[in-house]
Amino acid sequence: MTGAARVVGDDPFVVHRGLLFTVAYEILGSAADAEDVLQESWLRWEAVDRARVLAPRAYLVQVVTRQALNHVRTAARRREEYVGEWLPEPLLTAPDVAEDVELAESLSIAMLTVLQTLGPAERAVFVLHEVFDVPYDEVARAVGRTPAAVRQIAHRARDHVAARRPRVAVARSEHEQVVERLVRALNTGDLDGLVALLAPDVVSVTDSGGKVRGASRGPVVGALRLARYLMGGMARSAGALHASATYVNGRPAVRMELDGRVAAVASVTVDGGLVTHAHTIVNPDKLGRLDRPVDVRR
């Protein structure tokens, strides 16, 4: 039977594809790499005697994890040559993804950026156990360690993430309101209104990959400085820029279009009605998955 014929109906790979993609994406921070991992994992799944796989979901998660860890080495080499700040590839997600608070937090650009500061094994262990509730013995098989070693890795990873993750959790409605106000300020050129939405010590990081003229290659700190940087960029634009509200990686975000084509997306962290952190992706190579929601799930 051909692969095309077998990828139908209730095939476990198809049933769990959203989960498998999400696991690979959270480990790698790249949707393109995650898709490559799924393709390689499918080829391995095709070669397996299905009758001997007693728990297909667990088996497939292990296969995808191993393939993702193999990709980490290649990704690390690419990032050594990356120009400027590196941020995860953003995904358009349906608003209902935000209803799963834990999934939305794990998918957020801010959290994925923190996860990338972990070593590959720590990242995989954290994602599998803390996000997807995979038991330690299954995690151990996926990463090739003993359960005892995995418990130690998990402890280190939790401490590392806890020290760096955004500690503020705001209501979805408050987050949406701040994004809507940001959109209005940007579209009307309201510098004072924009400053009023930014925390005095706001930190903004932009990922351009060195491919967008005028994009900052280092953090921009401070409300007035950031507001002037944003307004200046819009004023220098060669076409018509328009901001709109969207959902990216399970969180409300700002989408910027230039002459009707997506030019940037900004994910913001909100505390007390003010933006404390902004992660903006303008690298055109990373903006290809913002027109159709991606299937992400636990």
Side-chain angles (χ1 to χ4, degrees):
M1 184 178 292
T2 66
R6 292 175 67 175
V7 185
V8 294
D10 59 354
D11 185 289
F13 196 97
V14 177
V15 171
H16 299 300
R17 192 185 190 285
L19 162 69
L20 301 176
F21 172 85
T22 308
V23 169
Y25 173 69
E26 292 205 9
I27 292 173
L28 296 166
S30 165
D33 287 346
E35 291 288 1
D36 288 344
V37 164
L38 259 61
Q39 179 63 30
E40 293 165 6
S41 299
W42 163 250
L43 293 175
R44 283 160 175 75
W45 177 241
E46 272 282 79
V48 167
D49 179 358
R50 310 289 178 83
R52 300 181 65 180
V53 180
L54 301 181
R57 181 183 185 274
Y59 179 85
L60 288 168
V61 167
Q62 290 172 27
V63 171
V64 164
T65 299
R66 293 189 192 112
Q67 294 307 309
L69 289 174
N70 288 340
H71 271 257
V72 165
R73 300 179 184 88
T74 302
R77 288 195 293 271
R78 289 201 307 266
R79 289 175 201 172
E80 289 175 357
E81 302 172 355
Y82 201 79
V83 177
E85 301 280 352
W86 182 94
L87 292 175
E89 182 181 354
L91 305 177
L92 180 67
T93 51
D96 60 2
V97 172
E99 296 173 5
D100 185 337
V101 177
E102 292 183 1
L103 176 60
E105 181 181 6
S106 73
L107 280 170
S108 72
I109 297 295
M111 175 59 83
L112 291 177
T113 302
V114 171
L115 290 181
Q116 293 298 314
T117 65
L118 289 167
E122 291 177 320
R123 197 184 316 159
V125 168
F126 184 90
V127 168
L128 292 180
H129 186 69
E130 301 298 320
V131 179
F132 296 98
D133 297 321
V134 177
Y136 282 123
D137 58 340
E138 292 183 20
V139 176
R141 287 193 289 272
V143 301
R145 307 290 180 92
T146 66
V150 163
R151 289 178 184 275
Q152 293 180 343
I153 292 171
H155 178 72
R156 291 198 304 270
R158 281 194 298 269
D159 287 348
H160 180 98
V161 171
R164 293 164 177 80
R165 75 195 306 173
R167 293 181 172 81
V168 179
V170 299
R172 175 178 166 183
S173 59
E174 179 183 348
H175 204 153
E176 289 175 335
Q177 289 170 8
V178 170
V179 166
E180 291 287 357
R181 292 168 64 192
L182 283 171
V183 165
R184 285 197 297 272
L186 290 168
N187 285 335
T188 60
D190 183 1
L191 179 65
D192 291 338
L194 184 57
V195 171
L197 289 169
L198 305 175
D201 57 351
V202 61
V203 178
S204 174
V205 174
T206 299
D207 177 342
S208 71
K211 298 183 178 183
V212 177
R213 182 179 299 177
S216 175
R217 294 189 181 182
V220 177
V221 182
L224 183 58
R225 184 181 176 198
L226 177 56
R228 286 175 172 169
Y229 167 74
L230 294 173
M231 291 301 187
M234 295 188 74
R236 292 190 300 272
S237 172
L241 269 175
H242 178 75
S244 61
T246 187
Y247 265 86
V248 169
N249 289 61
R251 295 285 180 87
V254 177
R255 174 188 176 109
M256 299 296 301
E257 292 187 355
L258 176 63
D259 294 333
R261 299 182 63 180
V262 60
V265 65
S267 176
V268 297
T269 301
V270 174
D271 181 13
L274 299 176
V275 174
T276 59
H277 293 83
H279 294 90
T280 304
I281 297 92
V282 298
N283 184 342
D285 295 342
K286 293 186 176 183
L287 300 176
R289 298 172 193 269
L290 295 172
D291 290 322
R292 185 172 63 181
V294 176
D295 181 20
V296 291
R297 64 181 68 181
R298 287 200 294 168

